[in-house]
Amino acid sequence: MLLVTARQMQNMDGYTINELGIPGRVLMENAGRGAVDMFIRKFSPDHRTKVGMVAGRGNNGGDGFVMARYLMEMDVPVTMFLLSHKEKVTGDAAANLSLAQQLLEHHPCSKLIEIPDADTLKKNRAALVHQDLFIDAIFGTGLNAQVRGFFKEVIQLLNQTGRPIFAVDIASGLNADTGKPLGEAVRASATATFAHAKAGHILYPGNDYTGDLEVIDIGIPGFVTQNEGIGLRVVETAYIAPLFPQRPFNSHKGTFGHALILAGSPGKTGAAALCANAAVRTGAGLVTLGLPSSINPSVEAMVLEPMTLPLPETVNGTLSAAGFDAIMSQIDHFHALAMGPGMGTDEQTRDLVTRLIEYVDIPMVIDADGLNCVAQKPAILNTRHAPTILTPHPGEMARLCDTTPDKVQADRMGLAAQFAGEYGVILVLKGAQTITALPDGNIFINPTGNPGMACGGMGDVLTGIIAGLVAQGLSADHAAMAGVFLHGLGADILACNSPGFGFTASDLVRTIAQAIQETIE
């Protein structure tokens, strides 16, 4: 699903109207008619249902007037609350207001009430709140200032009624680009948006204000969208399913690649095991786990299918740079390298990570302590010879960018895109709605996952999933997107059979195959 910004949508509207000659009133008619179809399917209103349509004086209000017309023609009583004087409504919105007014004389149960200020709102407060359903057509996607004055009070009143609210294009008060409320925002039960979903519908907390979302085709030609060069998308099953390699009848373990995972240190053996086991469950034909020699015996008991490769270690039991030659002597046997889970950040370990980044020519996945090693000198990423996927959580991202986790969270997409572009890497910024940013500027938002994933080891599993997909031949960008999607879907499967929490990273490993099956069915 493509996601657009308010400016991109404005550009597409403008081009369609001014360059292609499709009148704005036609687009408004298509929008209102499509929205009312969704409204009827969602709420099934009839002649006994009191619908309050709350409109501003702009084009969003115009869409609402089109909806009111169609509802009145279906004998659904509609009270149109115009938050302005009707003389101030102009353009296509004014034309549709006029048409709606003409229908009022044939529909005595419907009416128009003008509420241009706070005093008038007080007089009409009872009429406003005593409705069965509301249509929110106050502000559109162009809102970029804080909601104030009696508009704020109207939105508060609508939310306080507890009645279902149907938003036209976007819940009023919601920033269309960030999903953040601008002081106050309507909490919609459902939203009909036009041409394309907006970023603010999907990004938290905007998804909490949007409700059920449906995109209405209003007649903007597809090439207009293509010309706009939209680079923001939501990952969907239909996009992920074809990425998985077919499994011929005569397949064997060498058919689906060999992943090398460098991980683990004393006290963090579980991270290494989780990562390796996840790579196996994802379908990699072979997995080798390279780890400090002293912890090899204990880890072997946790990884039945992966092979282990004991490597030289530091005095603290972490992987040593002395293992570089041993790794490079075998690197041609592998199709993917993952490093980082639980490996520590000793100076010798950092040296090993940076040298591998500089010399390895197979795709790499870098996570956890691998990222912390890179954060000491991010420029090392410019020496790479192979596609590289970084999978930081906000704290690790903050270290990579020399900032704070709060600042990372305040601009997740912006920082991810900037880092991916600057260093030419695929940046997977973990968290609710994990973001995958590609070097070319494209950004993918993941829709799967839930709060039950907030426990240790989940990131190690993700690293193993992505490494397993890369080993099987998926490109680095496809492996990152598909891996994040499967990771969240596996957790969603677990949440269906639990109170929504209490499951573990080990539990998630066991759902990977089911998540893949549900994706490719």
Side-chain angles (χ1 to χ4, degrees), residues 13 16-27 30 218-221:
D13 280 338
T16 302
I17 295 168
N18 300 322
E19 301 299 326
L20 301 184
I22 299 176
R25 189 165 171 183
V26 171
L27 300 181
N30 292 343
I218 61 173
I220 294 177

Side-chain angles (χ1 to χ4, degrees), residues 329-351:
S329 68
Q330 302 184 45
I331 202 67
D332 290 343
H333 299 295
F334 301 106
H335 302 92
L337 168 64
M339 54 184 172
M343 71 187 307
T345 58
D346 278 20
E347 183 177 352
Q348 282 286 307
T349 309
R350 292 200 304 270
D351 186 38

Side-chain angles (χ1 to χ4, degrees), residues 167-219:
V168 176
D169 207 5
I170 194 165
S172 290
L174 204 61
N175 185 296
D177 295 344
T178 67
K180 295 178 181 178
L182 294 168
E184 195 73 46
V186 166
R187 287 191 174 273
S189 304
T191 299
T193 195
F194 308 128
H196 297 288
K198 315 308 182 286
H201 290 133
I202 303 299
L203 296 174
Y204 179 82
N207 53 353
D208 278 349
Y209 290 80
T210 298
D212 295 337
L213 178 67
E214 187 170 312
V215 179
I216 307 298
D217 180 2
I218 61 173

